[in-house]
Amino acid sequence: MSQRVIVTVFGKDKVGIIAGVTSVLAECNANILDISQTILQEFLTMIMIVDISKCRVDLATLQKRLDEKGQELGVKITAQHEEIFDFMHRI
Amino acid sequence: MPISFSNQEIMETIRMIEMEHLDIRTITMGISLRDCAHSDIKIMNRKIFEKIVRLAQNLVAVGEELERSYGIPIINKRISVTPISLIAEGLPKEEYLQLAQTLDRAAREVGVNFLGGFSALVHKGFTNGDRNLIDTIPEALACTERVCSSVNVATTKSGINMDAVGKMGYIIKETAQLTADKEGIGCAKLVVFCNVPEDNPFMAGAFHGIGEPEAVINIGVSGPGVILNAVRKNPQADLGTLAEIIKKTAFKVTRMGELVGRAASKKLGVPFGIVDLSLAPTPSIGDSVAEILEAMGLESCGTHGTTAALALLNDAVKKGGAMASSYVGGLSGAFIPVSEDAGMINAVERGSLSLEKLEAMTCVCSVGLDMIAIPGDTSPETIAAIIADEVAIGVINNKTTAVRVIPVPGKKVGDYVEFGGLLGRAPVMPVSHFKSDGFIRRGGRIPAPIQALTN
């Protein structure tokens, strides 16, 4: 299985969302390879591609920490293996 | 490795999962029990229990792990086994019930909510073992929680075993009576089939067919909500264009199943069988096949045009899915269970959807008369006649059809029955009050149609 996950963040924009999410990733030693974000009608959509090959925790724990941070920030954070996107959209 | 997909595609996937109820409906491990047959019931029980637990002990854990890593819900983890009638042949009748209890115990041990395969194939005739099994079904479904049962009573090649059809009318009634305290829920675990597929991952009709390997992983994918959204987004599209849109969407949905199926098979060390590319609804709003038909421009499901709309939908789903996976099987297509589909329930309440229209719709969709509550005083002969009509459609059209009706004890037309969870709720629907007794009592076998002579 690939070692890259797609992290997505949605929610009402406010100060500190990116800082909050990236600090969780940094604490776990997950490396951000790509980051993009847009704001549509006050709603923030952020997509990150993250390398977890040197991550200190397993994916389930990382997801749990992101989820807790998401609740704190009032946004929805998901982390999924990139394979699912690749497999779904490419033949 | 470069990123090969765009942000829009990522958003599309997330939207499908988060907002449109896209899910892997079921991972079903098929397990052969043929090597567990034994003349001593104690030894046989032990062998069955041990084999199921050995092969499936990690099934639920692997399912949950995949659910997390891909971020896609996997609703059910289930098991199907060799039809018990095949391995129990020769046992005394009283011992069949013990086998059902052993299966229930094994299902509980590994943590799956249903196990299918308390089944018999009697399309051409009964063996003594088949009779014993069928006679045990009502009690087996009443005294177990997780065991599901199916009986194949007809095939295109053999015709219709009308003795079996007649008998199943009584078996369904008895099953309802024995589970009367739970609104006849035993019948929700019992399916009567024509041309039954041997690799179907969906309960209650799943069993591990005799042509299957030692063990196998079959996947059922579902996403009515995703298709519904695609149809709604294109209100102006003509029907050819709409079919194309549904096809593309079904492709994406099925790819998900293919990915999860392969991953599960690798982790469990069990070969990958098939992806069943179905649209199976749930009682949630926005996860309904009836709503898709209505989104195509029908005021209420069941009105004129419904069969055509369903035919378009069913075919487009199959075409899209067929390219997404190398091994497509099972039932594949749109399911139209009444109690499990909020749109179908509404249509029955509005009076636009009747048993007759449902029967017509089953000519072009994947299963048949599924999860339909009928009055508790419906006679066994009338139930048998409903089965006969439905399997005749399957026989003549070379397709699978099935009947899962629930004659709810003590309930009349207009009453409601609540099964809870994925089984949903259903309004009790009227059946014809004209009798079919004379026809059913003739028994015998309706010969195979001319379509059977294809060799």
Side-chain angles (χ1 to χ4, degrees), chain B residues 308-319:
Chain B
L310 183 60
L312 181 160
L313 173 67
N314 201 55
D315 182 64
V317 166
K318 286 185 187 178
K319 283 176 178 161

Side-chain angles (χ1 to χ4, degrees), chain B residues 122-183:
Chain B
V122 296
H123 36 270
K124 210 164 174 182
F126 301 93
T127 64
N128 294 329
D130 291 334
R131 282 187 203 281
N132 289 341
L133 182 120
I134 292 173
D135 287 339
T136 313
I137 287 174
E139 211 178 330
L141 295 180
C143 79
T144 62
E145 187 192 348
R146 307 179 189 213
V147 173
C148 291
S149 177
S150 58
V151 178
N152 193 56
V153 297
T155 66
T156 300
K157 286 281 181 193
S158 69
I160 306 173
N161 179 351
M162 286 300 291
D163 293 326
V165 169
K167 194 167 180 59
M168 287 316 291
Y170 282 87
I171 295 293
I172 289 172
K173 279 290 278 192
E174 203 184 326
T175 304
Q177 292 305 335
L178 290 182
T179 50
D181 56 329
K182 291 184 200 134
E183 317 237 48

